[in-house]
Amino acid sequence: MKKTTGASKRPKVKLNDKVAILVLGMHRSGTSMLSGILDCLGCKGPKTLMEADVQNPKGFFESQPIFHLNDEILKTAGTGWDDWKPLQEGWLDSPRFNEFQARAIEVLQEEYGDASMIYLKDPRICRLLPLWQRALEEIGYRVVCIHTHRHPVDVAASLRARKNIEVEPSLGVLSWLRNILDAEAASRDLPRIFTSYANVIQNWQEFSKKAEAAFDFTWPVMARTAQEKISQFVEPNLRHHDSSIDTFLRDPLVPDLFRETLQILESWVQDGEKKDDYAKLGKIQDGFDFSAPLLFAPISALEAATRDVKDLTPHKASAEARQNEVNALTIKLTDAEGQRDQLSSQTEQLRAELDQNRVDLEKAKTHAETSEAEVDALTAKLTDAEGQRDQLSSQTEQ
């Protein structure tokens, strides 16, 4: 990407100009919140908004057609939204650039109509700013920029938390640096201000005043009037990652290119940008661009390993589900075996009682048969005795 070596005199934005405000910042850096504030201050947003989700419950304030077009442009350039490598030098001179610029103009007119003050937000514009600047200027807009940034570690953590993204933290930090450097270098000849996610949360009014002074216009809706509505977007409890920037800047293990870039951005938020820092940022970008081919092979191997792990995840989940089923069935089998052993014991006890009853029955039967024989013998004896008695009686009578 072509980089400017200095800042030219920036044109003032007249009150009767059509103004397009570009919100420039890496994904998960508060660009949606910042765009929501611009909407409350009376700026015109796109017609076809991307739907809100769990991660951005307040909305993205982003054009769905512009999002899709930017994805197509990056894909055609052999890159993607999360790529940390530089765009191929001279990409602006490609015949495809004119084609995409014409399509950008068409989608801008469809999304914004004849609106005189608009905001345009899509983090992919950090890398495609020259195309959108030319498209906007072609249809009569003066382009101004609001840069915002966030702690790179928090950006990476927030990206990791999104189920449909899941970028590795180390790669997320590299993407952060690429987006920051490309957006800064490409916007040096444009009116611009710098803020941060933390700064907007703490005092959005400061950024609002800074923008009016830098861009020489007044917001359509006064800040006091919009304050209640803006409070719906500026909710600190929606910030799930809040690492210490001071700790990051003092950490000797943090590479210089990250530390120096963040340090410059933080100072620009507090004191305004300084021309002396352009050379430092240019040197950082040159070094980053130069190192990209050297880093490509090991990082590509890391990305491939990450994809392999993700591919194994469904199988792992399936195996875990099957193991859980086996464990549940094992428990049921153990319970059944316990019930079986209990029933078996009861059965044996019943069998023993039945055998004893049979023995007792045989004894009783034998005893009964013996008693009957004795009765018959006694009866016979009695009969003989009675016969002898009758015989003796007869003899006595004679």
Side-chain angles (χ1 to χ4, degrees), residues 203-217:
N203 188 0
W204 66 265
Q205 293 91 342
E206 179 184 346
F207 123 79
S208 171
K209 293 175 183 178
K210 187 187 295 186
E212 286 184 322
F215 303 148
D216 195 18
F217 63 50

Side-chain angles (χ1 to χ4, degrees), residues 80-300:
W81 71 267
D82 59 343
D83 198 351
W84 47 273
K85 299 181 291 298
L87 287 169
Q88 183 176 352
E89 191 169 352
W91 73 279
L92 293 175
D93 300 323
S94 168
R96 294 299 303 272
F97 178 87
N98 292 331
E99 171 195 336
F100 285 124
Q101 181 176 325
R103 291 175 59 185
I105 291 173
E106 182 180 350
V107 74
L108 284 170
Q109 292 172 330
E110 291 175 353
E111 288 295 286
Y112 295 99
D114 297 325
S116 58
M117 178 177 278
I118 67 172
Y119 64 86
L120 176 57
K121 171 256 177 179
D122 178 2
R124 294 158 187 80
I125 295 177
C126 288
R127 308 196 66 198
L128 301 174
L129 194 152
L131 184 148
W132 288 100
Q133 177 186 346
R134 294 186 191 181
L136 287 163
E137 290 174 346
E138 184 72 20
I139 56 177
Y141 282 99
R142 278 291 187 90
V143 180
V144 300
C145 305
I146 301 178
H147 289 257
T148 185
H149 70 272
R150 185 182 182 184
H151 195 306
V153 174
D154 290 348
V155 168
S158 186
L159 286 171
R160 181 69 174 168
R162 287 186 67 85
K163 293 183 179 180
N164 61 331
I165 297 181
E166 295 187 356
V167 174
E168 288 300 313
S170 57
L171 300 181
V173 171
L174 288 172
S175 297
W176 174 89
L177 185 62
R178 173 58 59 197
N179 279 266
I180 290 291
L181 293 175
D182 283 2
E184 188 282 321
S187 63
R188 283 187 192 171
D189 291 333
L190 294 172
R192 63 184 187 176
I193 62 170
F194 288 80
T195 187
S196 68
Y197 185 38
N199 189 261
V200 174
I201 287 179
Q202 293 167 5
N203 188 0
W204 66 265
Q205 293 91 342
E206 179 184 346
F207 123 79
S208 171
K209 293 175 183 178
K210 187 187 295 186
E212 286 184 322
F215 303 148
D216 195 18
F217 63 50
T218 301
W219 297 113
V221 178
M222 294 179 62
R224 288 197 306 272
T225 305
Q227 184 165 359
E228 183 176 349
K229 191 174 180 181
I230 290 176
S231 66
Q232 299 175 14
F233 299 98
V234 185
E235 292 189 40
N237 63 330
L238 293 178
R239 185 182 185 182
H240 302 298
H241 307 281
D242 188 12
S243 303
S244 170
I245 287 181
D246 289 338
T247 300
F248 183 83
L249 295 176
R250 291 196 304 267
D251 190 344
L253 298 179
V254 174
D256 289 342
L257 70 170
F258 294 103
R259 184 190 300 107
E260 291 176 6
T261 300
L262 184 58
Q263 195 165 28
I264 289 172
L265 291 176
E266 286 291 298
S267 68
W268 285 8
V269 172
Q270 298 302 321
D271 306 318
E273 61 182 292
K274 304 176 182 63
K275 293 182 180 180
D276 291 344
D277 292 329
Y278 296 160
K280 297 177 184 177
L281 289 170
K283 185 177 180 180
I284 291 171
Q285 186 165 24
D286 288 341
F288 191 33
D289 292 351
F290 177 78
S291 64
L294 303 177
L295 295 172
F296 180 74
I299 292 182
S300 294

